């Protein structure tokens, strides 16, 4: 006799205990086994092999439940440890890819760019609305990282407000062909937030993910 063949009274009792759930818990399995033993036919009792099989199923269910709980605890621990390690980045200067510039109390954040080959460079700086505030002619530059020097003033020499700005590098070789480049921003992490399971770091007035950091500079 198997669990599926227990008497109707035993089934009713078990169904009431398990409710409308689609899966059996460890307690549900044990209740079903006990109910089956209580309602077995005295003339055809459960044999030892069948009992051993069902006890093995019970042991397997118990082991799986314990394993799942251990994995959940490990995942929670790893998430907490990761959040703690990320929080230690607050106050650290980091380098991230992208041409962003942050102005805070009149001070412009650091940034640099790197050409794929030597060429003539010009820099265009835009505000958060996409308006061009400054164009800078850099002249001929090599393939080593080049620091962008901007004084935080527009084309008319007037200091622009604090906020986030973006720069674009335009470069051509001696034949006038476009040259590709990589832009990087250097700024200090000032805060951390957790949103929908994702950790964000505050960089200037923007938020970045941990994966965007290319280097920790101190």
């Amino acid at each position: 006799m198997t669990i599926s063949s227990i008497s109707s009274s035993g089934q009713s009792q078990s169904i009431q205990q398990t409710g409308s759930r689609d899966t059996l818990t460890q307690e549900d399995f044990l209740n079903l086994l006990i109910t089956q033993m209580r309602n077995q036919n005295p003339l055809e009792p459960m044999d030892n092999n069948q009992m051993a099989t069902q006890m093995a199923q019970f042991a397997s269910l118990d082991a799986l439940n314990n394993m799942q709980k251990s994995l959940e605890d490990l995942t929670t621990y790893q998430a907490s440890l990761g959040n703690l390690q990320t929080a230690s980045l607050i106050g650290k200067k980091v380098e991230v890819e992208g041409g962003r510039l942050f102005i805070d109390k009149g001070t412009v954040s650091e940034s640099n760019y790197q050409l794929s080959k030597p060429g003539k460079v010009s820099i265009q700086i835009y505000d958060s609305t996409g308006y061009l505030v400054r164009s800078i002619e850099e002249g001929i530059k090599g393939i080593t990282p080049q620091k962008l020097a901007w004084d935080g003033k527009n084309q008319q020499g007037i200091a622009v407000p604090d906020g986030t700005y973006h720069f674009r590098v335009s470069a051509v070789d001696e034949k006038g062909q476009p040259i590709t480049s990589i832009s990087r921003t250097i700024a200090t992490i000032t805060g951390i937030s957790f949103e929908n399971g994702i950790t964000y770091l505050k960089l200037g007035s923007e938020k970045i993910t941990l994966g965007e950091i290319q280097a920790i500079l101190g």
Side-chain angles (χ1 to χ4, degrees):
M1 181 171 62
T2 62
I3 290 178
S4 60
S5 62
I6 59 177
S7 67
S8 58
S9 61
Q11 283 183 327
S12 299
Q13 179 181 357
S14 300
I15 292 173
Q16 291 175 357
Q17 290 174 344
T18 58
S20 60
R21 284 174 287 144
D22 295 328
T23 58
L24 291 177
T25 65
Q26 180 179 347
E27 183 179 358
D28 294 333
F29 192 100
L30 183 59
N31 287 335
L32 284 170
L33 182 59
I34 293 175
T35 301
Q36 179 181 353
M37 295 178 65
R38 285 176 177 173
N39 292 277
Q40 65 182 327
N41 187 343
L43 301 178
E44 297 180 4
M46 184 185 304
D47 61 42
N48 292 336
N49 290 335
Q50 189 175 6
M51 174 66 76
T53 299
Q54 296 196 11
M55 291 304 296
Q57 292 174 345
F58 176 78
S60 297
L61 178 62
D62 185 43
L64 287 174
N65 286 337
N66 290 336
M67 184 181 296
Q68 181 179 1
K69 180 64 168 58
S70 297
L71 289 174
E72 291 174 352
D73 291 343
L74 179 59
T75 300
T76 301
Y77 172 76
Q78 289 179 327
S80 299
L81 184 60
N83 292 340
L84 182 62
Q85 292 175 334
T86 303
S88 67
L89 291 174
I90 296 177
K92 298 287 187 181
K93 183 180 291 187
V94 299
E95 180 180 84
V96 298
E97 188 172 335
R100 285 169 284 197
L101 293 162
F102 307 112
I103 300 181
D104 183 27
K105 299 178 181 178
T107 301
V108 183
S109 62
E110 300 176 52
S111 61
N112 61 58
Y113 61 91
Q114 187 170 8
L115 305 179
S116 60
K117 64 179 182 178
K120 184 179 180 181
V121 177
S122 63
I123 306 292
Q124 293 78 44
I125 300 173
Y126 302 86
D127 64 15
S128 58
T129 67
Y131 178 77
L132 178 64
V133 298
R134 182 74 177 270
S135 182
I136 303 173
E137 296 298 325
E138 292 276 89
I140 302 297
K141 298 294 181 181
I143 61 174
T144 58
Q146 305 292 324
K147 182 178 179 181
L148 174 60
W150 180 42
D151 56 8
K153 296 180 180 180
N154 61 18
Q155 207 66 34
Q156 291 72 42
I158 301 173
V160 298
D162 287 359
T164 300
Y165 296 80
H166 296 82
F167 70 92
R168 184 177 65 191
V169 178
S170 300
V172 294
D173 61 17
E174 56 185 8
K175 296 181 180 181
Q177 297 300 311
I179 298 174
T180 59
S181 63
I182 298 174
S183 301
R184 302 183 183 92
T185 300
I186 299 173
T188 300
I189 300 295
T190 58
I192 184 173
S193 63
F194 308 102
E195 302 175 19
N196 299 321
I198 302 175
T199 301
Y200 292 97
L201 301 168
K202 185 177 181 182
L203 190 71
S205 57
E206 294 190 355
K207 293 185 297 185
I208 65 170
T209 61
L210 192 61
E212 294 181 68
I213 297 178
Q214 295 190 329
I216 301 175
L217 307 178

